[in-house]
Structures are given as structure tokens and as C-alpha cells.
Amino acid sequence: MNQAARRIGKSIAFVLPVVMVLSGTLAVTRVPWATSGSDAQVLTAASHDKSAISSDAASRAATPQGALRQRLLNELQSDGPGVALTHLQQEMARTPSLAKYCTSIARSLGRATVALYGGNTYRAQKWSRPVCDTAFATGVMTAH
């Protein structure tokens, strides 16, 4: 009986923080922070024309964090999520000034991993690591 209770406690201790972070993140995504009396618009990539998307991507790639994001996304496609996440962790240790961008980069890697595996979030979630807190896991869950 004692082992069963201990096993249940360990499971809850592992799952509860992830659930709390993800539910809090998802709850915040629907709050219209900067609207003044009008409904917030939710824009998707499909609502932009192709030239706007490519110019946005080009402007992001011009920054150090954008270049890192693009390099890691390319590595993810060619070498897999494990390599990209390892290089993200190494880059954060090597260049602390990029640490404030770690969360958004890790989320991008999470979304790209889901796309790489054809929408299979279970397979994508297996690569989750504690790099940038739970940002990779959040990216996986938001891609689904």
C-alpha cells in the first residue's frame, strides 16, 4: 500500500506542474490585453498574404535571436529535435544576452516538431526537456 501511495504521489508531483503551467498559458492567450472596447482579433498565418510572411521572416532573421531561431529550425528538420534542443541549451549558456528569447525559440521548436511528426504530439512531446522551463512543451501543445 505504501508503494502505491508513493507512486501516485510521484505521478501527481510530475504531472501537476505541467498541467498548471499549460492551463495558465492557454488561459492568458485569450485575454484581449490591448483592446479598447472592441473585440480582440485573432490573426492566423492564413490571414496574411505570402509576401508579408516572407518579409516578416526576413526581418526576424536579421536579428541575432532570429538567426539562431532559423538555424535551430533548420537543424530540427535535418538532424532532429534532440540536436536542436541541445544546441539551444548550449547557445543559452554561451550567449546569456539571448536568454530572454529562449522561451519563444523553444516554443517555435515545439511547434515545428509537431509539424515534423505530422501532428503527432505524443511523439513530439517525447523530446521535451527542461530547456527554457516548459516552453518546448507549450509549443507542442499549442501546435495541436
Side-chain angles (χ1 to χ4, degrees):
M1 180 71 174
N2 193 14
Q3 284 185 336
R6 200 174 277 169
R7 195 173 330 142
I8 291 170
K10 284 182 180 180
S11 297
I12 291 172
F14 178 73
V15 173
L16 188 61
V18 173
V19 170
M20 290 176 65
V21 167
L22 290 177
S23 64
T25 302
L26 296 175
V28 172
T29 60
R30 289 294 184 190
V31 176
W33 295 105
T35 60
S36 56
S38 64
D39 290 336
Q41 292 182 346
V42 178
L43 299 176
T44 62
S47 67
H48 296 291
D49 66 26
K50 302 285 186 213
S51 62
I53 293 171
S54 62
S55 67
D56 288 347
S59 66
R60 279 194 307 265
T63 62
Q65 67 272 13
L68 174 62
R69 179 189 319 268
Q70 192 58 49
R71 180 172 57 87
L72 292 173
L73 287 170
N74 291 339
E75 284 180 3
L76 186 135
Q77 293 295 323
S78 62
D79 302 328
V83 173
L85 287 168
T86 298
H87 288 159
L88 174 61
Q89 190 170 12
Q90 291 170 346
E91 192 63 36
M92 291 303 114
R94 186 175 27 252
T95 315
S97 63
L98 291 176
K100 62 183 172 183
Y101 304 105
C102 187
T103 303
S104 67
I105 294 171
R107 272 195 304 260
S108 296
L109 293 173
R111 288 188 298 268
T113 301
V114 172
L116 179 69
Y117 292 127
N120 186 339
T121 56
Y122 175 74
R123 204 165 155 206
Q125 192 65 34
K126 285 188 196 178
W127 294 101
S128 190
R129 295 187 188 164
V131 178
C132 310
D133 200 20
T134 58
F136 180 83
T138 303
V140 169
M141 295 312 294
T142 59
H144 181 61

